[in-house]
Amino acid sequence: MKKIAILTAVAFALVLVAAPAAADSPDSLPWTQPTNQSSFWEDYGATTHQEDDWVCDKTNNDDSSGPYVIGDPPSGSEWRLIVVKAGSTVNDLHWNPMSGDSFDHSVQKGWSHVIECSRPTDDPEPTTTTVPEETTTVPEETTTTAPATTTTAPATTTTDPATTVPTTTPTELPDTGINAGSFVVAALVLLMSGGLVLMGIRRAETE
């Protein structure tokens, strides 16, 4: 009997581990037609909790049996509320559900639809800051070469002033029509005549 009791306890424990965890007792809100819409619950979060960043999605039960098991929230978000509806009496409100929790309506049992509402997580995703490696660049030594200065003395050229010898241009005698040879002959004749005259005078003086 003890063995049977132990085996039964172990089997029950395994069932508890394998089965999805059940949610805590829900709050309730009377059902009305608007509560069937996702937009109603987005406004509900803004008006009752001052959280205007809810995103709500509705899932209808297509003849599925068993409780509804909630999955993972959208990336970067967390579950804020799941609304379970069955019949037309009240909506069950389960706050801050966890992935893997299972849900049935508390009065009607089963569920006709659920509305899951998520909101962005308060904690931002960790930011990895990459510190760039510090690179020290040593400037290359710059050698300044002074250009060679070449002084060129200007060549001194001494130019002796040119001596200009005046050119004497012979003055042409006016053409008198007398031939030069005739002039010479006439001069000789005059000289001879003068000589004869002088000789005559001297003779006269001596006599």
Side-chain angles (χ1 to χ4, degrees), residues 109-184:
K109 301 302 178 184
W111 56 281
S112 59
H113 74 244
V114 297
I115 296 177
E116 300 165 305
C117 297
S118 64
R119 67 183 301 265
T121 56
D122 292 332
D123 297 331
E125 295 184 1
T127 302
T128 302
T129 303
T130 302
V131 180
E133 295 182 1
E134 183 177 354
T135 303
T136 303
T137 303
V138 179
E140 296 182 0
E141 184 177 354
T142 303
T143 303
T144 303
T145 303
T149 303
T150 303
T151 304
T152 303
T156 304
T157 304
T158 304
T159 304
D160 293 332
T163 302
T164 303
V165 178
T167 302
T168 303
T169 304
T171 303
E172 293 183 2
L173 295 175
D175 186 7
T176 57
I178 300 174
N179 193 302
S182 298
F183 181 78
V184 172

Side-chain angles (χ1 to χ4, degrees), residues 186-202:
L188 292 174
V189 171
L190 289 175
L191 290 173
M192 291 176 66
S193 295
L196 290 177
V197 171
L198 289 174
M199 289 178 65
I201 293 173
R202 288 179 176 178

Side-chain angles (χ1 to χ4, degrees), residues 11-64:
F12 182 73
L14 291 174
V15 170
L16 291 177
V17 171
D24 296 335
S25 299
D27 293 338
S28 62
L29 186 72
W31 176 87
T32 59
Q33 188 65 36
T35 61
N36 287 340
Q37 307 302 320
S38 300
S39 58
F40 173 88
W41 298 103
E42 291 175 351
D43 293 339
Y44 181 81
T47 56
T48 61
H49 291 78
Q50 290 72 51
E51 297 173 355
D52 57 358
D53 53 359
W54 285 17
V55 177
C56 299
D57 295 302
K58 180 179 179 179
T59 301
N60 290 311
N61 187 347
D62 298 328
D63 296 328
S64 298

